Amino acid sequence: TRRRTTMMSTMMSLSARAAMGGASMTTTKTTSTTRRASVVTSAKMTPKESKRQQRHRKIRSKVSGSPERPRISVYRSNQHVYVQVIDDENQKTIAALGTMSPKVKDVIGKEEWKSKTVESAQEVGKLLGAMCVEQGITRAVFDRGGFLYHGRVKAVADGCREAGVAM
């Protein structure tokens, strides 16, 4: 009987959620022996993130990479920086690097706080620039990804320039 009461309470809360409608979409799955109910919710994007994506779309309408001059795209999270070298015409990622990669961890250190610094972003830029120069890429287009050209984003660009990639 205990199992039956928990199923009933789950079903009641499910029907209450369904009656409310709104942000969560509900689905019910049933099997022959037991009856299970699960709730599927979808998260909404924050206004700050939607504005950044809007800025990035506007930048991408003007900036494009080619095999001769690929696009260097930067994504900055709260803790890490991720950079890719992209040939948009052939839809290929030529090189990718971030503060999580072992190459960068060897240079900046294994501590978590060190991946958040401007110095670590500059090292990512230097290593990515060295990878580009090895592959014969000396010119690139910089895509800041909707982020301000300041701090870690600027440090990545400066590191690439130090390694010999003209932007």
Side-chain angles (χ1 to χ4, degrees), residues 41-157:
T41 60
S42 61
K44 292 186 178 179
M45 195 180 322
T46 62
K48 185 176 182 178
E49 177 66 13
S50 64
K51 292 294 276 183
R52 184 196 70 80
Q53 286 187 358
Q54 186 177 359
R55 285 190 302 270
H56 191 210
R57 278 193 301 273
K58 189 170 184 177
I59 291 167
R60 284 287 292 121
S61 70
K62 300 172 185 174
V63 174
S64 177
S66 65
E68 302 83 36
R69 195 169 179 197
R71 174 171 59 101
I72 295 178
S73 176
V74 177
Y75 178 78
R76 173 185 58 90
S77 71
N78 284 339
Q79 301 208 0
H80 299 285
V81 174
Y82 306 96
V83 188
Q84 292 181 330
V85 181
I86 304 166
D87 173 11
D88 288 316
E89 288 179 8
N90 298 323
Q91 297 181 350
K92 298 280 184 196
T93 300
I94 299 166
L97 201 62
T99 51
M100 291 285 290
S101 64
K103 288 181 183 178
V104 178
K105 290 275 188 192
D106 291 342
V107 175
I108 64 171
K110 304 259 187 240
E111 292 86 1
E112 182 182 339
W113 65 271
K114 289 189 176 180
S115 66
K116 301 176 188 179
T117 62
V118 173
E119 292 81 18
S120 66
Q122 182 132 10
E123 287 299 323
V124 168
K126 285 179 187 175
L127 290 172
L128 189 81
M131 290 169 67
C132 288
V133 170
E134 282 176 13
Q135 295 182 8
I137 299 167
T138 56
R139 296 181 45 179
V141 179
F142 190 73
D143 175 13
R144 60 187 175 94
F147 298 103
L148 289 176
Y149 187 76
H150 176 76
R152 291 185 287 162
V153 176
K154 182 180 178 188
V156 168

Side-chain angles (χ1 to χ4, degrees), residues 4-62:
R4 186 178 226 152
T5 54
T6 56
M7 284 194 315
M8 289 300 287
S9 66
T10 304
M11 287 173 43
M12 288 176 62
S13 63
L14 180 65
S15 63
R17 287 186 195 132
M20 291 173 65
S24 64
M25 181 178 71
T26 59
T27 58
T28 306
K29 298 178 183 178
T30 58
T31 59
S32 59
T33 57
T34 61
R35 191 164 194 195
R36 296 180 195 165
S38 64
V39 177
V40 179
T41 60
S42 61
K44 292 186 178 179
M45 195 180 322
T46 62
K48 185 176 182 178
E49 177 66 13
S50 64
K51 292 294 276 183
R52 184 196 70 80
Q53 286 187 358
Q54 186 177 359
R55 285 190 302 270
H56 191 210
R57 278 193 301 273
K58 189 170 184 177
I59 291 167
R60 284 287 292 121
S61 70
K62 300 172 185 174

